[in-house]
Amino acid sequence: LGRRTEWPQQGKWGLPGGVIRIDLDKDLETSAQRIAQERLLVPLLNVKQLGAIGNKTRDERAGWTISVIYRALFPRKHFEPHPGKRFDELKWLAVDDAAADATIAFDHADIIVGAAKQLRAEIDKLEIPFEFFRGPFTLTELQTFCEAILGNKLDKSSFRRRLADRNTIEPSGNVRTGAFRPAQLYQPSKI
Amino acid sequence: LGRRTEWPQQGKWGLPGGVIRIDLDKDLETSAQRIAQERLLVPLLNVKQLGAIGNKTRDERAGWTISVIYRALFPRKHFEPHPGKRFDELKWLAVDDAAADATIAFDHADIIVGAAKQLRAEIDKLEIPFEFFRGPFTLTELQTFCEAILGNKLDKSSFRRRLADRNTIEPSGNVRTGAFRPAQLYQPSKI
DNA sequence: TCAAAAGTGTTAGGCATACACCCATGT
DNA sequence: ACATGGGTGTATGCCTAACACTTTTGA
């Protein structure tokens, strides 16, 4: 979330958004990319459209507004957004906290609810966003990642069998050593 | 599909669509309803948003166009659309024929492909649109309906067990008599 | 009486969970 | 040696597909 420096909803925390520039953007996804660059100073990965919302009341700047909602996913470690246009600060929130926060700008809390639901459905089906969760990784790391998104524990054996059935990842040949037994490293299948 | 009477794509067959009127419509779905009324002279049932498409090239009337796509479902028997604004004729096409038709206006064939896929996924999960397929009906009629949408045969016994597990329909108490053994009539569960 | 459709039962397999168990390593 | 995380095997249950079967009716 970014803290808004300007009217409307000044001082409130909201999702980054912006206005389509027909002179700059060739399509909607390009708009999303440009706006993210302007407001977060970074490009987006793993972008997916979630739908459109439009009505008279959702933004006091206009009598009518349409937003086309895009979600993106990031490897948190190598992703350092900075406040750009009309934000003076950024912060990360756990998605369920943000969804429950009544002070969030506009109807952005509803949008967050929808996005979290959508992503969890994907993870349930083991559609792993590898643009986000890059290899090499151990199976336990991947499982921990999925558990963090879903918000509940998974069974190790079942998780691995389901992954194996799908052929979405393959061993990289290397291992990760740590305090205990080394773990096989995996990567997304190239096939 | 309707045959377009005006530029652009005059004479081509396309989906009904139109422009949001911020003075008339309170939200996107209301727009969809108003536009259907204008172009098909009937209201819509079972409306669902499928997403938004926007880019520079999809409509030659403007340098940039966004369409928010809505699908609706109808009981064909009691639904009689008539050509309204900018259509001189309407025709029904089997959805896979329309999807494969290269002569369809704009990018509407792509939209049809997406809509068919989405609906089939719903029917696969036995999410029956009862606003479309009203009771009372026999189980065989419901199965035939699903088979028509999916484009393949279903197993009678499995289909019935899956329905029973879900508790989405209940016997109405009446039967339908015909040339052969009478069939129990069902309706959507009210619970 | 018999063709056609209504309706039921039975088996086998895919896929998931739950849980118990063994393995390898750095401290 | 042992605690800890890596890794595997087995029992069980749910859901579904496939298919055989019985029942009922009007012509």
Side-chain angles (χ1 to χ4, degrees):
Chain A
L1 297 174
R3 191 165 53 200
R4 303 173 57 82
T5 56
E6 292 176 23
W7 180 87
Q9 313 261 342
Q10 189 180 356
K12 285 198 175 184
W13 296 88
L15 296 170
V19 176
I20 291 168
R21 288 276 303 269
I22 63 173
D23 52 336
L24 296 177
D25 309 327
K26 73 174 207 296
D27 58 26
L28 289 172
E29 190 166 320
T30 307
S31 289
Q33 283 290 358
R34 179 185 50 76
I35 291 165
Q37 188 64 47
E38 288 176 2
R39 303 206 67 178
L40 305 175
L41 310 179
V42 288
L44 300 177
L45 283 179
N46 210 32
V47 171
K48 181 166 187 168
Q49 191 198 113
L50 301 184
I53 307 180
N55 61 46
K56 278 180 182 295
T57 56
R58 54 192 303 277
D59 187 327
E60 56 256 55
R61 276 171 292 189
W64 235 97
T65 328
I66 299 178
S67 290
V68 181
I69 316 299
Y70 280 83
R71 156 214 93 179
L73 298 172
F74 302 99
R76 180 86 144 79
K77 303 259 180 183
H78 313 100
F79 177 72
E80 284 300 334
H82 297 284
K85 261 171 125 174
R86 295 192 297 281
F87 280 153
D88 63 358
E89 194 181 339
L90 299 180
K91 67 173 178 183
W92 290 106
L93 256 73
V95 71
D96 292 322
D97 294 341
D101 186 337
T103 70
I104 285 180
F106 304 110
D107 52 5
H108 291 186
D110 298 336
I111 292 172
I112 292 167
V113 169
K117 200 168 155 187
Q118 197 280 343
L119 176 61
R120 282 172 173 147
E122 274 185 50
I123 297 296
D124 257 330
K125 288 184 275 181
L126 287 189
E127 293 167 10
I128 314 290
F130 290 113
E131 302 88 338
F132 176 105
F133 194 78
R134 284 213 172 71
F137 46 77
T138 70
L139 294 180
T140 302
E141 285 164 0
L142 180 56
Q143 184 176 341
T144 304
F145 166 78
C146 290
E147 287 171 344
I149 293 174
L150 294 172
N152 56 44
K153 285 281 171 193
L154 297 171
D155 181 81
K156 183 168 52 163
S157 178
S158 312
F159 181 73
R160 291 173 183 217
R161 191 187 329 285
R162 294 213 294 142
L163 273 177
D165 290 348
R166 269 153 248 257
N167 286 346
T168 47
I169 60 172
E170 62 189 19
S172 75
N174 301 323
V175 294
R176 170 158 300 161
T177 57
F180 305 104
R181 172 174 173 177
Q184 179 62 239
L185 285 168
Y186 288 80
Q187 59 197 2
S189 292
K190 282 150 193 160
I191 316 136
Chain B
L1 297 175
R3 190 165 54 199
R4 302 174 58 83
T5 56
E6 292 176 25
W7 180 87
Q9 314 260 339
Q10 189 178 356
K12 285 197 175 186
W13 295 87
L15 296 169
V19 177
I20 292 168
R21 287 277 303 270
I22 65 174
D23 53 336
L24 297 177
D25 309 327
K26 72 173 207 296
D27 57 25
L28 289 173
E29 188 166 322
T30 308
S31 289
Q33 283 290 357
R34 179 186 49 76
I35 290 165
Q37 188 64 50
E38 288 175 3
R39 303 205 68 177
L40 304 175
L41 310 179
V42 288
L44 300 177
L45 282 178
N46 211 33
V47 171
K48 181 164 188 170
Q49 191 199 110
L50 301 185
I53 307 179
N55 62 45
K56 280 180 182 293
T57 55
R58 54 193 300 277
D59 187 327
E60 57 254 54
R61 275 170 295 188
W64 233 97
T65 327
I66 299 178
S67 290
V68 181
I69 316 300
Y70 281 84
R71 157 214 94 179
L73 298 173
F74 302 98
R76 179 88 144 80
K77 303 261 182 179
H78 313 98
F79 177 73
E80 283 300 333
H82 297 284
K85 261 171 128 174
R86 294 192 297 282
F87 280 151
D88 63 357
E89 194 181 339
L90 299 180
K91 67 173 177 183
W92 291 104
L93 256 73
V95 71
D96 291 321
D97 293 340
D101 186 338
T103 69
I104 284 179
F106 304 111
D107 53 4
H108 292 186
D110 298 336
I111 293 173
I112 293 167
V113 169
K117 200 169 156 186
Q118 198 278 344
L119 176 61
R120 282 172 174 148
E122 273 186 51
I123 297 296
D124 257 329
K125 289 185 277 182
L126 287 188
E127 292 167 8
I128 313 291
F130 290 114
E131 303 89 338
F132 176 105
F133 195 78
R134 285 213 171 71
F137 46 79
T138 69
L139 293 181
T140 302
E141 285 163 2
L142 180 55
Q143 182 176 341
T144 304
F145 167 77
C146 290
E147 287 170 343
I149 292 174
L150 294 173
N152 56 43
K153 284 283 173 191
L154 297 171
D155 181 82
K156 184 168 51 163
S157 179
S158 311
F159 181 74
R160 289 171 183 218
R161 192 186 329 284
R162 295 212 296 142
L163 274 175
D165 290 348
R166 268 153 248 257
N167 285 345
T168 48
I169 60 171
E170 62 189 20
S172 74
N174 301 323
V175 293
R176 170 157 301 161
T177 56
F180 304 105
R181 174 174 173 177
Q184 180 63 237
L185 284 169
Y186 288 79
Q187 59 198 1
S189 291
K190 283 148 192 161
I191 317 138

